[in-house]
Amino acid sequence: MARNFMCTKTDPVVETKAGKLRGFQLDGTYVFHGVKYADAKRFHQPTPVEPWEGIKNALAYGYVCPMLQQDQPSNELMVPHRYWPLDENCQYLNIWTQHLDPNAKKPVLVWLHGGGFAAGSSIEHIAYEGENMSKYGDVVVISLNHRLNILGYLDLSPFGEEYKNSGNAGNADMVAALQWIHENIANFGGDPENVTLFGQSGGGMKVWTLMQTPAADGLFHKGVVQSGCIDHFVSGNSTEQNGKAIVTALLAELKLDDVKALETIPYAQLAAAYNKVAPEVAKTGAYVGGNPLANDWYLGDPLEVGFTEHAKTIPVMVGTVLGEFSFMPALSEEEKADAALIDSMIEKRYGAEGKKLKEMFAKVYPDKDVSDVLFMDSIFRAPSTDFILKKAQHPESGTYSYMMTYTFPYDGGHIAWHCSEIPFVFHNTSLVAAYNEPGVTDLLEKQMCDAWLNFARDGKPSSEDLPEWPACTADDEATMIFDKKCEVRHNYDHELVALHKKLAPSPWSHNDDEEEQQIQH
Amino acid sequence: MARNFMCTKTDPVVETKAGKLRGFQLDGTYVFHGVKYADAKRFHQPTPVEPWEGIKNALAYGYVCPMLQQDQPSNELMVPHRYWPLDENCQYLNIWTQHLDPNAKKPVLVWLHGGGFAAGSSIEHIAYEGENMSKYGDVVVISLNHRLNILGYLDLSPFGEEYKNSGNAGNADMVAALQWIHENIANFGGDPENVTLFGQSGGGMKVWTLMQTPAADGLFHKGVVQSGCIDHFVSGNSTEQNGKAIVTALLAELKLDDVKALETIPYAQLAAAYNKVAPEVAKTGAYVGGNPLANDWYLGDPLEVGFTEHAKTIPVMVGTVLGEFSFMPALSEEEKADAALIDSMIEKRYGAEGKKLKEMFAKVYPDKDVSDVLFMDSIFRAPSTDFILKKAQHPESGTYSYMMTYTFPYDGGHIAWHCSEIPFVFHNTSLVAAYNEPGVTDLLEKQMCDAWLNFARDGKPSSEDLPEWPACTADDEATMIFDKKCEVRHNYDHELVALHKKLAPSPWSHNDDEEEQQIQH
């Protein structure tokens, strides 16, 4: 059926601090795509956009930051993507809202995309579309692009005061976006005093790095870290580190004398040089950029330096999914039924103690197939628990834990993989083919989306369709299990995860197999 | 509501000539993304894919051919886009079907995308998604990628027999796809003896160039040319032309002696060199590639060389939309109501005879706003009429004419622009925000999609919701007008279009204004 669409010469138009913006309206939802929230010179801090006369269109998504490698399509059923034209002039955000009334004061949810700090965009996943969540929850949903990889995170501070915070330029873009939201979101029906950050993977890391960034204090009020605590991922976490080695190597490779020249050479050349020299510099243990750098602007990983005073006051929700990077092909029914085969696969993967791990897994997850132990994650789960229990030492703000264990109707049954909770959170399962299981998906989507919405509304994720969901304490991780049956479990998997972490090979290698499988060459 | 999704280790799997492919099923529709239909060395003719053992996944769209310039987002409300990773290994097609039964023998519609012969892809527009058309019409819908620009259309024939048809490599890819369809589509429920090509803009040109290609004879049986006859667009239309000048200039620019080296240098370098030298070579009047080249494989534009014997037997449907490249911002209600302003704009655009053009327009389109004359097209419409009347000289196969004049509910009312009929044809208006007008869109979508489906079924576009739609004759262009009220009109606009063609400035310049407007810098 035809939907109600509206976009005239003058409607919907919203006044921002810098000038007027025109979006469109679809079935009641006001939509603004590609709102420029800041400008920036390469390696420099963002500056506010220049004011303009008249009305600017906000009808097309903005540029995405260029990447170090070209994207390759893969796993499209598991994580359907959208790609977009690239340009380092990429400080754009998108808004979905039900109101343009400054008195509406609806909760604001700001999505920080994944892809580490190196890749991705505000629209990279089909599931990032904000319309359904805004409409279902009567909230303002915002997603944003910012500088990535060496454009966002390359420390040139040893080469001049003007580059002081270039190692965090990407995070500085996000703070500029939060500043823009603070100053303008009321006119889009949002409450500038109730802003929740949520993000997954790299986006989850962005949430907690911003919690540790005094410049962002007061610009947001809650945070959701989805699969965003990751072992050994964020480098540059020591204030001792700086970009002298990597930038010197870059200049040598590019045969340049002056660091200033790095500001203007075409990005493709800069990226090629970086890709060439970075592995060698990394081998020396030196910082190579690509992630935030702890300094007096970003204070560092709370697991190492503790939470800032402001972070202690922020309600947070932290969780992971059971499988995370278990992207390898699922097993067939016949394979799963072959106990000897499964045992040998477990032994091959986990060694002699695999048997013990299997028994522990069967006890912790009696409803799962025992072969799922081959696909379980600890690299996200273990540090997430650490983060949760450390944050829960500050009971003045709630700390909530979740775990999605749902088995998807894909490939004959596949436990939740990295990114797979996102369509549920955004109320977007209908947009994602492999996320549809009649009789199951709709309820689970409501439960999860309600939890996120309620958390954004008042800092508590409990909802009518879920069991009571208590905050964690320093010695009780009360974890909401999202699955066909949702339940709260207490410190339920700590031993299992500890043993898995000890036995499991690095999960980062699995992705390649599946990619090769997905694209036919 | 959750949809019915299915994708197990072994289902749905279809046997092709080269091996087994796994897709997925959604609400009954079987979907196969990224099916490799051929391989090719750069500048060489495509070859069949190598057979494989086991099951390959067809779950991710395939690579898109690299372009000469990076895409820039613009006009997203008018034409919502999807971009995708690029690689010249791009011979992929996508299939949507309701059956996997070789006896189903459903009509097959093969979509050839637009973007000239230089850009675009099988998934570039949101509206190219085949699911709805396949389901609504119980037909097999296929879309495909092929080599573009200088990868698909650069004549190296003066430099060696192996490059004989390199000037048409992109079209040769399409013929390889049609060959793959011919050999394999029965197992996807399609009828290899009832294949209809449809395409818009460059895709329409692809339809008629394939009609003029003996290697494709018998591999398709009908053609729909949507806004695909374009004045002065396809160069290389004379068999006298060849690539000696452009390739020599390329070799000089790249400091290469051997044309063989062009096969392996990175595409980015090749493209940069081409972008640099092509304008100078073009000034001399020489062929510069980028479009099919008439030779003994592709016989040339039918308006110049006549239709091939096979083309004469092909039912065709040909049409345009009223506005086409009128992408400039629409006028406000106030501006439209200001007769003196409109008259001055008409005079500025069309000169002294603009008044006459305006009066003629008002007579031909009494229900349109007279200011719409500022946005009307002739650069597509005039050669389309020529094509139609020339084809209608061969009454052994039907030739049908259409024109979409609908005014969209965008920007305060905007007559149909280039690409705007596509979501109606694909039954995809629900996917495209600006195409929704309650009480209008659903019927017009049914009328248009039914026409395309009926034409694919038996070569006649008439349907229950449309007035009777006769074929054209050599002196009667019977044109179906698609608008709020559909009707057939006879030779209804020829004088108007002739005068417009005489008076109108080139439309190719307008696009830029709107692009600048859409993206905020």
Side-chain angles (χ1 to χ4, degrees):
Chain A
M1 284 292 291
R3 306 176 70 185
N4 277 297
F5 170 78
M6 194 259 292
C7 180
T8 73
K9 300 290 291 178
T10 54
D11 206 6
V13 166
V14 172
E15 182 94 44
T16 71
K17 208 179 153 193
K20 289 180 175 140
L21 287 174
R22 179 171 76 137
F24 64 93
Q25 192 183 22
L26 190 60
D27 285 345
T29 303
Y30 296 99
V31 186
F32 297 82
H33 286 167
V35 175
K36 197 85 172 79
Y37 63 79
D39 293 316
K41 274 170 60 186
R42 189 188 288 174
F43 303 135
H44 290 249
Q45 298 300 288
T47 54
V49 290
E50 295 291 322
W52 64 87
E53 300 289 316
I55 298 171
K56 274 200 186 187
N57 279 338
L59 302 176
Y61 294 118
Y63 287 117
V64 166
C65 186
M67 324 253 164
L68 290 169
Q69 280 90 28
Q70 186 186 261
D71 282 304
Q72 301 210 338
S74 71
N75 290 324
E76 281 302 306
L77 265 191
M78 299 173 93
V79 184
H81 285 72
R82 286 187 297 195
Y83 299 99
W84 207 251
L86 307 171
D87 192 282
E88 61 190 285
N89 171 30
C90 64
Q91 291 81 11
Y92 290 93
L93 57 78
N94 312 303
I95 304 171
W96 295 264
T97 180
Q98 306 303 308
H99 311 273
L100 298 180
D101 170 6
N103 297 314
K105 293 207 190 308
K106 297 295 176 182
V108 179
L109 288 104
V110 181
W111 176 249
L112 304 177
H113 68 79
F117 291 86
S121 81
S122 65
I123 63 156
E124 192 199 13
H125 296 188
I126 297 279
Y128 292 175
E129 192 67 25
E131 181 190 353
N132 287 335
M133 187 184 214
S134 170
K135 195 174 180 70
Y136 173 73
D138 193 8
V139 293
V140 180
V141 177
I142 295 175
S143 62
L144 61 89
N145 296 344
H146 60 88
R147 283 176 286 174
L148 299 168
N149 55 71
I150 53 173
L151 293 171
Y153 306 92
L154 183 68
D155 176 45
L156 290 86
S157 66
F159 300 86
E161 177 70 12
E162 62 178 311
Y163 304 120
K164 203 172 74 158
N165 198 35
S166 63
N168 295 310
N171 272 34
D173 285 351
M174 287 185 265
V175 174
L178 294 175
Q179 189 67 46
W180 188 98
I181 291 164
H182 187 75
E183 291 168 359
N184 293 293
I185 206 61
N187 282 357
F188 294 87
D191 181 357
E193 300 306 327
N194 186 10
V195 175
T196 298
L197 304 186
F198 67 135
Q200 184 269 356
S201 194
M205 293 193 275
K206 293 167 193 174
V207 173
W208 63 251
T209 54
L210 290 170
M211 286 168 65
Q212 301 289 94
T213 302
D217 287 1
L219 299 179
F220 70 97
H221 312 91
K222 303 179 196 84
V224 185
V225 178
Q226 305 173 208
S227 307
C229 299
I230 310 175
D231 271 345
H232 312 301
F233 201 83
V234 177
S235 68
N237 204 34
S238 153
T239 49
E240 305 299 302
Q241 295 183 299
N242 69 54
K244 191 149 191 188
I246 183 67
V247 175
T248 302
L250 265 176
L251 290 170
E253 172 65 24
L254 290 162
K255 298 187 179 34
L256 296 172
D257 294 324
D258 186 1
V259 76
K260 200 86 192 156
L262 295 180
E263 289 188 32
T264 49
I265 71 163
Y267 174 72
Q269 269 176 265
L270 184 66
Y274 176 83
N275 287 335
K276 194 163 165 197
V277 303
E280 286 303 313
V281 176
K283 272 186 204 156
T284 68
Y287 159 96
V288 292
N291 291 311
L293 179 68
N295 59 11
D296 61 1
W297 189 86
Y298 160 59
L299 304 183
D301 186 341
L303 291 184
E304 298 186 17
V305 303
F307 287 95
T308 66
E309 288 309 307
H310 180 261
K312 291 176 189 168
T313 70
I314 300 278
V316 298
M317 184 158 76
V318 178
T320 64
V321 304
L322 182 53
E324 296 292 359
F325 266 80
S326 59
F327 279 125
M328 60 234 200
L331 303 170
S332 68
E333 285 308 308
E334 294 70 37
E335 289 166 327
K336 287 183 195 173
D338 184 341
L341 173 71
I342 298 301
D343 283 347
S344 77
M345 290 177 80
I346 289 172
E347 191 181 342
K348 186 172 166 215
R349 183 163 167 72
Y350 298 118
E353 285 187 271
K355 191 158 177 278
K356 189 170 157 202
L357 188 75
K358 181 184 92 165
E359 287 162 6
M360 228 181 243
F361 182 87
K363 228 164 165 174
V364 172
Y365 294 114
D367 296 337
K368 293 291 161 198
D369 193 277
V370 76
S371 69
D372 287 336
V373 73
L374 288 162
F375 298 87
M376 77 167 273
D377 156 76
S378 60
I379 203 160
F380 294 83
R381 175 61 183 150
S384 293
T385 294
D386 293 345
F387 186 101
I388 288 163
L389 295 179
K390 184 156 188 168
K391 173 67 174 56
Q393 290 170 15
H394 310 286
E396 60 268 36
S397 61
T399 301
Y400 296 90
S401 165
Y402 74 86
M403 162 64 82
M404 187 192 207
T405 59
Y406 174 58
T407 299
F408 285 72
Y410 166 64
D411 231 359
H414 203 307
I415 56 170
W417 52 83
H418 199 58
C419 303
S420 66
E421 87 283 11
I422 299 172
F424 291 82
V425 170
F426 274 90
H427 215 283
N428 277 342
T429 60
S430 61
L431 303 182
V432 186
Y435 291 62
N436 282 269
E437 187 182 4
V440 175
T441 312
D442 294 338
L443 176 59
L444 186 55
E445 174 173 74
K446 182 171 188 304
Q447 289 167 319
M448 293 185 71
C449 190
D450 280 347
W452 265 246
L453 290 167
N454 285 338
F455 180 77
R457 288 181 187 118
D458 66 5
K460 297 197 180 76
S462 291
S463 86
E464 56 180 10
D465 292 306
L466 287 174
E468 194 183 319
W469 185 347
C472 298
T473 66
D475 57 9
D476 174 27
E477 188 189 9
T479 302
M480 177 63 73
I481 308 292
F482 287 113
D483 205 321
K484 291 187 186 182
K485 179 170 174 284
C486 295
E487 59 179 330
V488 173
R489 300 177 69 182
H490 297 267
N491 298 329
Y492 83 106
D493 67 346
H494 295 180
E495 271 183 87
L496 170 68
V497 169
L499 182 60
H500 184 271
K501 190 173 165 174
K502 184 181 136 195
L503 303 181
S506 162
W508 305 112
S509 55
H510 295 306
N511 207 9
D512 296 341
D513 303 345
E514 178 76 353
E515 280 192 0
E516 287 195 2
Q517 203 213 191
Q518 293 282 346
I519 297 288
Q520 301 173 51
H521 288 291
Chain B
M1 285 293 291
R3 306 176 70 184
N4 277 297
F5 171 77
M6 194 259 291
C7 180
T8 73
K9 301 290 291 179
T10 54
D11 205 9
V13 166
V14 172
E15 181 94 45
T16 72
K17 210 178 152 192
K20 288 180 175 141
L21 287 174
R22 179 172 77 137
F24 64 93
Q25 193 182 22
L26 190 61
D27 284 345
T29 303
Y30 296 98
V31 185
F32 297 81
H33 286 166
V35 175
K36 198 84 171 77
Y37 63 79
D39 292 315
K41 274 170 59 186
R42 190 187 288 174
F43 304 134
H44 288 250
Q45 298 300 288
T47 53
V49 291
E50 295 291 323
W52 64 87
E53 299 289 319
I55 298 172
K56 275 200 185 187
N57 279 338
L59 303 175
Y61 293 119
Y63 287 117
V64 166
C65 186
M67 323 255 164
L68 290 168
Q69 280 90 28
Q70 186 187 260
D71 281 304
Q72 302 210 336
S74 73
N75 290 322
E76 281 301 306
L77 264 191
M78 299 173 93
V79 184
H81 286 71
R82 285 187 295 195
Y83 300 99
W84 207 250
L86 308 171
D87 192 283
E88 60 190 284
N89 171 30
C90 64
Q91 291 82 9
Y92 290 93
L93 57 78
N94 313 302
I95 305 171
W96 295 264
T97 181
Q98 307 302 309
H99 311 273
L100 298 180
D101 169 8
N103 297 314
K105 291 205 191 309
K106 296 295 174 181
V108 179
L109 288 104
V110 181
W111 176 249
L112 304 177
H113 68 80
F117 292 86
S121 80
S122 64
I123 62 155
E124 192 200 13
H125 296 187
I126 296 279
Y128 292 176
E129 192 67 25
E131 180 189 356
N132 287 335
M133 187 184 214
S134 170
K135 195 173 181 70
Y136 173 73
D138 192 9
V139 293
V140 180
V141 177
I142 295 175
S143 63
L144 61 92
N145 295 345
H146 61 87
R147 282 175 287 175
L148 300 168
N149 56 72
I150 53 174
L151 294 171
Y153 306 93
L154 183 68
D155 176 47
L156 289 85
S157 65
F159 300 86
E161 178 69 11
E162 61 177 312
Y163 304 120
K164 203 171 74 159
N165 199 35
S166 63
N168 295 310
N171 273 34
D173 285 350
M174 287 185 265
V175 174
L178 293 175
Q179 189 68 46
W180 188 98
I181 291 165
H182 187 75
E183 292 169 358
N184 293 293
I185 206 62
N187 282 357
F188 294 86
D191 181 358
E193 300 305 326
N194 186 9
V195 175
T196 299
L197 303 186
F198 66 136
Q200 184 268 356
S201 195
M205 293 194 274
K206 292 167 193 175
V207 173
W208 63 251
T209 55
L210 290 170
M211 285 169 63
Q212 301 289 95
T213 302
D217 287 1
L219 299 180
F220 71 96
H221 312 91
K222 304 180 196 82
V224 184
V225 179
Q226 305 174 208
S227 307
C229 299
I230 310 175
D231 271 345
H232 313 302
F233 201 83
V234 177
S235 68
N237 203 34
S238 153
T239 50
E240 304 299 302
Q241 295 182 299
N242 69 54
K244 189 149 193 191
I246 183 67
V247 174
T248 302
L250 265 176
L251 290 170
E253 172 65 23
L254 290 162
K255 301 189 178 28
L256 297 172
D257 294 325
D258 186 1
V259 76
K260 199 85 192 159
L262 295 180
E263 288 188 32
T264 48
I265 70 163
Y267 175 72
Q269 269 177 266
L270 184 66
Y274 177 83
N275 287 335
K276 195 163 164 197
V277 303
E280 286 303 314
V281 176
K283 273 185 202 157
T284 69
Y287 159 97
V288 293
N291 291 309
L293 180 68
N295 59 12
D296 61 1
W297 188 86
Y298 160 60
L299 304 182
D301 186 341
L303 291 184
E304 297 186 17
V305 304
F307 287 95
T308 65
E309 288 310 307
H310 180 261
K312 291 174 189 170
T313 69
I314 300 277
V316 298
M317 183 157 76
V318 179
T320 64
V321 304
L322 183 51
E324 296 291 359
F325 265 80
S326 57
F327 279 124
M328 59 235 200
L331 303 170
S332 68
E333 285 308 308
E334 294 69 37
E335 289 166 327
K336 286 182 193 172
D338 184 341
L341 173 71
I342 298 300
D343 282 348
S344 78
M345 290 177 79
I346 290 173
E347 191 180 339
K348 187 173 164 211
R349 184 163 166 75
Y350 298 119
E353 284 186 273
K355 193 159 176 276
K356 191 172 154 200
L357 188 75
K358 180 184 91 165
E359 288 161 5
M360 228 181 241
F361 182 87
K363 229 164 161 173
V364 171
Y365 294 113
D367 297 337
K368 293 290 162 199
D369 193 277
V370 76
S371 68
D372 288 335
V373 73
L374 288 162
F375 298 86
M376 77 167 272
D377 157 77
S378 59
I379 204 162
F380 293 83
R381 174 63 183 149
S384 294
T385 295
D386 294 345
F387 186 100
I388 288 163
L389 295 180
K390 184 157 189 169
K391 172 66 172 57
Q393 290 170 15
H394 309 285
E396 59 268 37
S397 60
T399 301
Y400 296 90
S401 166
Y402 75 85
M403 161 64 82
M404 188 192 209
T405 60
Y406 174 58
T407 299
F408 285 72
Y410 166 65
D411 231 358
H414 203 306
I415 57 170
W417 53 83
H418 199 58
C419 303
S420 66
E421 86 283 11
I422 299 172
F424 291 82
V425 170
F426 274 91
H427 215 282
N428 277 341
T429 60
S430 61
L431 304 182
V432 186
Y435 291 61
N436 282 270
E437 186 181 5
V440 176
T441 312
D442 294 338
L443 176 59
L444 186 54
E445 174 173 74
K446 181 171 190 306
Q447 288 167 319
M448 293 185 70
C449 190
D450 280 347
W452 265 245
L453 290 167
N454 285 338
F455 180 76
R457 287 180 187 120
D458 66 5
K460 297 197 181 76
S462 291
S463 86
E464 56 182 9
D465 292 305
L466 287 173
E468 194 182 318
W469 186 347
C472 298
T473 66
D475 56 8
D476 174 26
E477 188 189 8
T479 302
M480 178 62 73
I481 308 291
F482 287 113
D483 206 322
K484 291 186 186 184
K485 179 171 174 286
C486 295
E487 59 180 330
V488 173
R489 300 177 69 182
H490 297 268
N491 297 328
Y492 84 105
D493 67 346
H494 295 180
E495 271 183 87
L496 170 68
V497 169
L499 182 59
H500 184 271
K501 189 172 166 174
K502 185 180 134 196
L503 303 181
S506 163
W508 305 113
S509 53
H510 294 306
N511 208 10
D512 296 340
D513 302 346
E514 178 75 356
E515 281 192 359
E516 287 195 3
Q517 204 215 190
Q518 293 282 347
I519 298 288
Q520 301 174 53
H521 288 292

